Amino acid sequence: MANWVLKGLRTGIRTTSYPAGPDDAPGISPGRPIGTSLSSTTAVDQLVRNCPTQAIAPDGSGIAIDQRRCIHCFRCQRGVDEPPIWQQGFEWAAYVDDQAPRKLAAIFGRSLHIRFVDAGACGACMSEARQINNPYYNMHRLGFFITPTPRNADVLLVAGPVSDAMRLPLSKTYEALPTPKRVVAIGACAASGGVFGPSFAASAGIADVIPVDVVVPGCPPPPLAILHGLLLVVERKPPSNVFSRASGGSKESP
Amino acid sequence: MAVLYRIHDDTSDLASFLELCRVHWRGVVVASADEADNTCRIDCGTERLRDICQWLTDDLGFAFATLVAEQAPKNWLLIYAFYKDAKSPLVRVELKLDAALSVAPSVVDLLHGPSFDWHEREVEDLFGLHFEGHPRLGEFVLHEDWLEGINPMRRDFDANKRFEPRTTEPKWEPPTIVTAPGAFAMPIGPVFSDFAESAHFLLETVGEDVVRTIPRFFYKYRGVEKIAEGQPPDRALLLAERFSGTAAFAHGLAFCQAIEAICGIKPPPRALALRAVLAELERLRSHAAAITGICNSTALAVATSQAALIEERLLRLTCEITGHRYLFGAVVPGGVICNPSQTDCRHLTAAVGEITHELRRLLQMLRYSSSFLDRLEEVGVVTEDQALSYGLVGPIARASGVARDIRKVLPYAVYGSTDFSVPVEREGDGYARLRVLFAEAAQSAGIINKVLSSLPDGAICSDELQLRAGAALSAVEAPLGAAFHWVRLDNGGNVSRYRVTPPSFTNWHGFHLAAENFAFQDFPIILASFGLSNAECDR
Ligand code: SF4
């Protein structure tokens, strides 16, 4: 008979210290490009041209990046004259609308019940979402639970650009959640349609179909970025910005 | 099911296969050879198609790889591709149809007919090309609420056209066959209670036991083949990598190999070696994920955690070496992007060694967990005959005694010159599939070590890429099995047709074989032991 208890004990605790402390273990996040001041307009033009999803736009003396569109293709990094800053870290989640009242933390307390919907995700976002359950990230210690029924859920976690056949199941699941509810869209596809939408077969992201509260950019967002998105819902962490400006920071519509 | 392999005819190389073809079909079909691709092309008319398909599969033991449909201004072109073993050539049976006709003979009633089944249904649904004699055409990729008479893969269909959201629920009413008193059909999906991919299963049951499972896919159809059209290869590559993010490298590689074949370039030796290393790293992670899934489905908590730790470790390792946890952006036409340093290589070798050791320990413990084995043994059985007639691929086929592996059959990268074995089991049940996963993971680790120990120096990418018009079929062994990518470039160097046959498409078709007459609580286990991706299947 295999002794699983012993095996478990021997393995010890591997869980990240985030959110109480930082986590900078190698490989937990691919990092991402951020708005950067550049030396010339030719360098700006090259980056704007190279970006396949129009995530990069000229901004002052450099470029700004719409993180919802960035698909981590590295084409602004590799083989260019002046790459933008590639920033490590994972606190990428942001509120869609900064003005909307967010008094949900008090209602939800510190615990969340989550319902997941796959709206046509490629598998990488789902794989990363699954990892928040693994012992490294262990979402249960933060009071986050997956619930089998939408009627008990506070949060709808959605990945994918919303394929045509998932539009109806997605809106029906959304309606089945009791209010107050929050929608967390994970990944570039969910945030903007990514490389797939808009097209005849897919929408331009979750917001095309149901209202979104929190976006977690990334292609795919690493597990800690998804946890950051959930922590945003209960206001236990400050948000990042959807637009990363050359001057470094403030959120503004383009 | 009589003899599936009646190998008395010589298919052992391109020249003798061509000779065999000419003798056997004298004056009936035209056969020609393409030395560069080791491909034999057979041009045949509608009246001979069935005979040729039957001859290749039943008599000669070829497996059906893929059906590619192309719409030219004046005619339809249907390409049926077949593969067999390391010696035999790839065979392409080509059928031209008058544009106005739009009818081809169906071959699904042959002994190996099931392997053609979903291909014909997909072409019918997306192109509006009818297959005479197919018993189940109609709603397949496009569900019932899709607009009648609109075929998105036709040339005149605009990929950017957006449709109004439909408010009526599609009426999916598959024919149920269980008629005993108290029989009912239980629907599961498309939204699940866990982190599961969207799909719909109808379980026909008379109580505790499920008699039959009717699955339905393509909830995640994103029209990848259509939206790739008109795009330059570097843009289409983004789609190839991202339609199935957990096998991004394998599909990116298959796409790049097709572009290289069209443009006649060869990646430098170091690139070919690194491609094998990265492909095996992806396979290792994918297999670890499948093992996690199987442990989880049997509710063995500590084993699930152990497997999940290995999986996460591999994700981090991949990120350290390539900059991305899922290898996005690692492969390009002509070579690879990432060039690991000597330190990286040493780190990779050491880490893969440790991971292999952990996997071996995990398997040892699972072997002695009788409650775990009880739930996997004799559950979800696929027999060898079934696997052959459905043309199943990958670990699932190999767990049912079919030793086919594209790395051996149509070697690419450095697999032709690297020593490794293809693990095979016979039982075809959940436990056999689990053992194949573990054995293949060990082989992958071995390949990584071998290739890294003699990694050539030099460039990692050829700089001679000159796009030109042409078409090519490329094959790779993706983590879940054989993947075939057909790419055609037009005169401007843009993609004019992209056809992907991923292993999940091939293997989901055989899922119902494993999901027959089982206890209801075994459903998640059968599902996990298949470990397939709907994103990969649906495209
Ligand atoms: S990594 Fe992101 S910002 Fe850079 S080119 Fe790719 S999509 Fe654009």
Side-chain angles (χ1 to χ4, degrees), chain B residues 233-251:
Chain B
D234 67 335
R235 292 295 160 91
L237 172 60
L238 297 171
L239 291 169
E241 286 181 323
R242 280 168 183 75
F243 81 88
S244 176
T246 47
F249 189 80
H251 290 294

Side-chain angles (χ1 to χ4, degrees), chain A residues 34-36 38 44 47-48 56-59 61-65 84 244-246:
Chain A
I34 54 165
T36 307
L38 299 171
V44 171
L47 295 180
V48 171
I56 301 181
D59 181 36
S61 63
I63 54 147
I65 293 182
S244 143
R245 306 279 314 259

Side-chain angles (χ1 to χ4, degrees), chain B residues 17-233:
Chain B
F17 181 80
L18 194 66
E19 190 50 36
L20 180 71
C21 233
R22 286 186 175 146
V23 172
H24 204 95
W25 301 100
R26 187 185 304 278
V28 179
V29 300
V30 185
S32 57
D34 182 344
E35 301 279 350
D37 290 347
N38 190 31
T39 301
C40 178
R41 213 180 104 180
I42 302 176
D43 287 285
C44 82
T46 46
E47 56 300 323
R48 285 294 175 188
L49 178 74
R50 293 171 51 82
D51 300 340
I52 298 270
C53 288
Q54 186 163 25
W55 178 64
L56 286 168
T57 52
D58 295 1
D59 296 353
L60 302 183
F62 275 82
F64 173 62
T66 182
L67 168 60
V68 183
E70 290 199 334
Q71 187 187 17
K74 289 211 178 58
N75 52 44
W76 292 97
L77 177 63
L78 291 180
I79 302 168
Y80 297 73
F82 299 83
Y83 66 111
K84 185 180 168 187
D85 53 30
K87 284 181 244 134
S88 312
L90 195 79
V91 179
R92 252 163 64 183
V93 178
E94 304 200 359
L95 176 67
K96 270 208 176 83
L97 295 172
D98 198 85
L101 264 170
S102 300
V103 179
S106 170
V107 293
V108 291
D109 57 328
L110 302 179
L111 183 57
H112 290 78
S115 54
F116 301 84
D117 180 10
W118 276 19
H119 289 263
E120 291 186 3
R121 291 181 70 182
E122 185 177 326
V123 171
E124 198 264 354
D125 211 12
L126 298 183
F127 283 92
L129 187 69
H130 191 74
F131 287 88
E132 189 117 61
H134 195 300
R136 283 177 304 277
L137 294 175
E139 280 84 24
F140 182 57
V141 176
L142 310 169
H143 294 170
E144 296 76 10
D145 54 342
W146 181 264
L147 303 155
E148 196 60 39
I150 295 187
N151 306 107
M153 287 306 292
R154 291 236 179 184
R155 282 262 169 262
D156 54 8
F157 179 85
D158 175 11
N160 295 319
K161 181 184 169 70
R162 297 193 65 187
F163 290 99
E164 285 298 307
R166 294 176 292 281
T167 46
T168 48
E169 205 150 350
K171 283 248 171 304
W172 182 41
E173 286 166 346
T176 46
I177 51 163
V178 183
T179 51
F184 66 104
M186 183 188 320
I188 304 182
V191 179
F192 291 84
S193 59
D194 207 338
F195 290 116
E197 288 192 83
S198 297
H200 207 142
F201 299 94
L202 207 59
L203 308 187
E204 276 196 79
T205 167
V206 279
E208 280 299 289
D209 285 350
V210 178
V211 182
R212 196 171 73 125
T213 304
I214 312 169
R216 155 136 106 163
F217 299 103
F218 302 104
Y219 285 89
K220 304 177 63 163
Y221 174 65
R222 285 145 290 158
V224 166
E225 293 176 2
K226 182 69 184 186
I227 58 181
E229 287 178 4
Q231 299 206 34

Side-chain angles (χ1 to χ4, degrees), chain B residues 4 7 95 105 134 167 170 190 247 258 262 274 320 340 365 373 412 445 464:
Chain B
L4 282 159
I7 311 170
L95 176 67
H134 195 300
T167 46
I262 294 169
L274 285 172
E320 287 176 63
M365 293 194 68
L373 298 188
Y412 54 98
E464 293 160 26

Side-chain angles (χ1 to χ4, degrees), chain A residues 47-72:
Chain A
L47 295 180
V48 171
R49 225 180 21 248
N50 267 22
C51 180
T53 54
Q54 288 89 46
I56 301 181
D59 181 36
S61 63
I63 54 147
I65 293 182
D66 179 351
Q67 297 292 356
R68 294 173 302 183
R69 311 196 73 89
C70 174
I71 56 163
H72 288 189

Side-chain angles (χ1 to χ4, degrees), chain A residues 84-106:
Chain A
I85 298 168
W86 196 271
Q87 193 181 54
Q88 292 309 311
F90 50 80
E91 288 192 319
W92 298 348
Y95 293 112
V96 166
D97 184 358
D98 261 352
Q99 314 309 314
R102 287 186 311 281
K103 287 286 160 263
L104 282 167

